[in-house]
Amino acid sequence: MSSLNDCIKFHLNIEDPNIIFSDYFKKCINGKYYKLYVAELIYPLCPYCHSSNLKHNGHYTSNVRFITADASHPVIIRLKKQCVLCNACLKRSMAQSNLINKGCYISNTSKRKILSALTEDRSMTSIAREHNLSVNTVQRVLESCSSKFYDYFDRLPEHLAFDEFKGVGKKLHFKRSRKYILHYAGLYDCYSK
Ligand SMILES: [Zn+2]
């Protein structure tokens, strides 16, 4: 028989074996009902020396926004990340997962869904509304993939596209277009010949 953990992971399409779900309930936050899932993120081995001789030292809890097909019931995963002290190399660490990047509060699956929606011809406001996110969050997800081409300051790429242009004092500001950012992140082929 499947466990509660297996059922939730099947439902949310989460495969990380280090994430163990233990509970779920509905919670009203700012007048809106959220489906809240409680999980522990364990660390079986030290990330530095791979020793399993670990001393558990509490948890760091982060509330991860997780987008599902039914946007009318937003999902939050209350992820309790295990903090450990390695008895072999004496280094401290906190459990990490591919589900979410360090310091983020929105899951990587959700980011991919937002990026996919951004390749469609629709406004960021409509994407934000559909996924119960702020427009700023959608903008940040878009900007996060623009870091892939920040490396070359001595030359400009062959194609450039701008959404906005303004002059303040003697400085000129250009805002790169969304399709341009997505193209250079390999997610949109509007500039391909
Ligand atoms: Zn270690």
Side-chain angles (χ1 to χ4, degrees), residues 10-50:
F10 181 78
H11 174 65
L12 297 178
N13 212 4
I14 292 174
E15 290 178 350
D16 189 336
N18 293 336
I19 294 178
I20 318 280
F21 285 90
S22 58
D23 198 9
Y24 67 96
F25 51 91
K26 277 192 175 179
K27 188 171 180 169
C28 184
I29 303 170
N30 296 330
K32 192 182 282 179
Y33 274 98
Y34 286 77
K35 282 183 176 176
L36 218 138
Y37 295 86
V38 182
E40 184 184 20
L41 177 58
I42 57 165
Y43 231 168
L45 298 173
C46 168
Y48 301 103
C49 71
H50 306 293

Side-chain angles (χ1 to χ4, degrees), residues 68-85:
T68 57
D70 183 2
S72 61
H73 290 94
V75 166
I76 291 177
I77 300 174
R78 184 163 289 168
L79 196 61
K80 298 176 177 177
K81 300 175 179 179
Q82 217 172 49
C83 301
V84 295
L85 168 67

Side-chain angles (χ1 to χ4, degrees), residues 45-54 85-93:
L45 298 173
C46 168
Y48 301 103
C49 71
H50 306 293
S51 164
S52 59
N53 185 4
L54 305 173
L85 168 67
C86 175
N87 287 323
C89 71
L90 300 176
K91 286 183 176 161
R92 289 176 192 277
S93 49

Side-chain angles (χ1 to χ4, degrees), residues 3-192:
S3 66
L4 174 72
N5 177 45
D6 291 336
C7 291
I8 295 176
K9 283 171 107 165
F10 181 78
H11 174 65
L12 297 178
N13 212 4
I14 292 174
E15 290 178 350
D16 189 336
N18 293 336
I19 294 178
I20 318 280
F21 285 90
S22 58
D23 198 9
Y24 67 96
F25 51 91
K26 277 192 175 179
K27 188 171 180 169
C28 184
I29 303 170
N30 296 330
K32 192 182 282 179
Y33 274 98
Y34 286 77
K35 282 183 176 176
L36 218 138
Y37 295 86
V38 182
E40 184 184 20
L41 177 58
I42 57 165
Y43 231 168
L45 298 173
C46 168
Y48 301 103
C49 71
H50 306 293
S51 164
S52 59
N53 185 4
L54 305 173
K55 184 183 173 192
H56 294 146
N57 191 21
H59 292 89
Y60 175 83
T61 302
S62 56
N63 291 311
V64 180
R65 294 294 303 268
F66 193 83
I67 291 177
T68 57
D70 183 2
S72 61
H73 290 94
V75 166
I76 291 177
I77 300 174
R78 184 163 289 168
L79 196 61
K80 298 176 177 177
K81 300 175 179 179
Q82 217 172 49
C83 301
V84 295
L85 168 67
C86 175
N87 287 323
C89 71
L90 300 176
K91 286 183 176 161
R92 289 176 192 277
S93 49
M94 185 169 70
Q96 300 297 334
S97 165
N98 285 338
L99 179 74
I100 186 164
N101 292 345
K102 204 173 178 179
C104 282
Y105 76 97
I106 178 160
S107 74
N108 289 329
T109 325
S110 305
K111 282 185 188 171
R112 283 194 290 276
K113 280 184 184 160
I114 294 166
L115 285 172
S116 162
L118 282 165
T119 62
E120 294 161 12
D121 198 10
R122 50 192 289 211
S123 72
M124 288 198 192
T125 313
S126 120
I127 296 167
R129 198 181 300 129
E130 182 189 320
H131 297 300
N132 278 302
L133 298 166
S134 69
V135 177
N136 279 345
T137 304
V138 176
Q139 216 148 17
R140 270 201 302 276
V141 172
L142 176 64
E143 283 297 324
S144 69
C145 68
S146 71
S147 60
K148 293 179 183 174
F149 51 90
Y150 272 156
D151 298 336
Y152 306 106
F153 294 104
D154 56 339
R155 62 184 166 84
L156 290 169
E158 191 181 343
H159 303 283
L160 277 169
F162 299 104
D163 272 348
E164 282 176 29
F165 159 75
K166 65 179 175 182
V168 178
K170 288 182 179 176
K171 287 183 179 173
L172 301 176
H173 298 261
F174 296 90
K175 188 178 171 191
R176 284 161 307 179
S177 89
R178 168 169 126 194
K179 286 179 183 172
Y180 172 74
I181 293 173
L182 292 170
H183 169 69
Y184 277 91
L187 294 161
Y188 201 84
D189 62 356
C190 60
Y191 299 102
S192 302

